[in-house]
Amino acid sequence: MIVCLAVVGHQNNPLYIQSFTEADDALKLHHMVHCSVDVIDERVDNPKKSGPTINETFLGLLCPTENYKVYGYLTNTKVKFILVTTDLDVRDADMRTFFRRFHAAYVDAVSNPFHVPGKKITSKTFAERVATIVKSFGLTTTG
Amino acid sequence: MGREVSESCVESLVAEIVSSYCRGFYADKPELAAPRIEAIGFQVGHQLSERYTMDRPRFTDHLEAIKFICKDFWSELFKKQIDNLKTNHRGTFVLQDNRFRWLAHMSVDPSVETTGSIQDPSAMAENRAAQATGLHLYFPCGIIRGALSNLGIPCAVSADISNLPACSFVVRIKA
């Protein structure tokens, strides 16, 4: 189950952060997102360590902690998408599909002429689309 | 998303932006119109680059990003690629389009005013053509600047219209 989704801008400023659990550990999830941003930066700045997939947008598993898995995705415009999930076995292909749909929703939200680049995404349509994507992701993996 | 707009609408809109800003909003301060139009182009380029880089792997260096602008970005906007790309390998790129779409239908009145000046008539007409079309190039310069800055390359873009309908965009990357 996806517990948290975050979009971080190219200056590491948060553009969108949404948790999907009723539990009160929003702070812990935000902290985890913050740490994963550092992991992404490390991977991007050390091309020798990350191997041949340096130019891919999907970065894969960032840091497995005891209960959660954190996945990262870096766009061409240096915007980072971070996803925290409690699922133990997630297929790579599912993750990529999820990030592709999320990227499409993000692009549509940013193309809004009333959106100020660098500020948080406040569009309700974006929030609804993201909720739909998260829900359908949950259905495809557990179904 | 699949929705399309007719090209003549886009051309008319761009021409009208220039006309309203230069003769309407900033009629008494025409030098302020150009940066304003360029800023609009900047935001448009910023958002368009987000959309058109969606399915691509990340760029390794500045040249890759400029080549993206010349090929994919330009074909999405103008249905053709940049015809010629030159660089001095020190941060300056010249993108030449031999028939810039938004200027293709522009005509300048070739009649010469009888103000008693002794300028060569063809040079005067060329000068007025250059002035009129120069204003229409701030928007595409802004688009290029916005797209490149969203890819992490701060730069300054200017246009060169020495021989219409070909026009060149000079991109100077800030070190």
Side-chain angles (χ1 to χ4, degrees), chain A residues 54-57 59 73-78 100 103-104 106-108 110-113 115 117, chain B residues 1 42-43 46-60 147 149-152:
Chain A
I54 176 65
N55 289 333
E56 268 209 51
T57 44
L59 297 171
Y73 182 99
L74 179 63
T75 69
N76 243 314
T77 53
K78 310 285 181 292
R100 201 173 325 126
H103 196 168
Y106 169 75
V107 162
D108 286 339
V110 163
S111 303
N112 183 350
H115 171 256
Chain B
M1 290 256 280
F42 181 85
Q43 179 154 356
H46 204 268
Q47 294 167 332
L48 284 179
S49 70
E50 196 74 63
R51 189 177 287 278
Y52 296 144
T53 55
M54 198 164 90
D55 292 316
R56 301 181 49 99
R58 286 197 304 279
F59 301 127
T60 37
S149 83
N150 203 13
L151 296 172

Side-chain angles (χ1 to χ4, degrees), chain A:
Chain A
M1 197 189 78
I2 295 181
V3 292
C4 182
L5 258 183
V7 179
V8 180
H10 68 99
Q11 283 159 338
N12 289 346
N13 47 325
L15 294 174
Y16 180 78
I17 181 155
Q18 177 73 47
S19 16
F20 295 100
T21 54
E22 284 86 27
D24 249 344
D25 40 350
L27 201 59
K28 190 168 70 158
L29 295 170
H30 290 201
H31 174 253
M32 217 177 299
V33 165
H34 219 72
C35 298
S36 358
V37 170
D38 288 334
V39 176
I40 293 185
D41 283 338
E42 207 182 88
R43 279 224 196 153
V44 169
D45 291 332
N46 286 348
K48 290 184 222 132
K49 284 192 196 159
S50 36
T53 54
I54 176 65
N55 289 333
E56 268 209 51
T57 44
F58 177 62
L59 297 171
L61 190 60
L62 292 179
C63 50
T65 53
E66 56 311 330
N67 297 329
Y68 304 104
K69 284 183 158 187
V70 183
Y71 287 89
Y73 182 99
L74 179 63
T75 69
N76 243 314
T77 53
K78 310 285 181 292
V79 173
K80 310 170 181 72
F81 299 154
I82 295 170
L83 175 133
V84 182
T85 175
T86 51
D87 278 337
L88 291 174
D89 53 344
V90 187
R91 281 199 304 262
D92 212 40
D94 288 340
M95 263 309 155
R96 285 173 194 268
T97 319
F98 175 88
F99 273 120
R100 201 173 325 126
R101 293 169 73 186
F102 188 61
H103 196 168
Y106 169 75
V107 162
D108 286 339
V110 163
S111 303
N112 183 350
F114 294 109
H115 171 256
V116 179
K119 292 270 159 43
K120 293 204 172 183
I121 300 177
T122 52
S123 156
K124 270 189 269 221
T125 321
F126 178 68
E128 282 167 12
R129 271 179 82 169
V130 168
T132 318
I133 298 176
V134 167
K135 225 176 296 184
S136 64
F137 178 78
L139 291 173
T140 49
T141 47
T142 57

Side-chain angles (χ1 to χ4, degrees), chain B residues 11-12 16 59 63 75 93 104 130 132 141:
Chain B
E11 285 184 16
S12 311
E16 188 55 33
F59 301 127
L63 184 59
S75 353
F93 295 88
C141 286

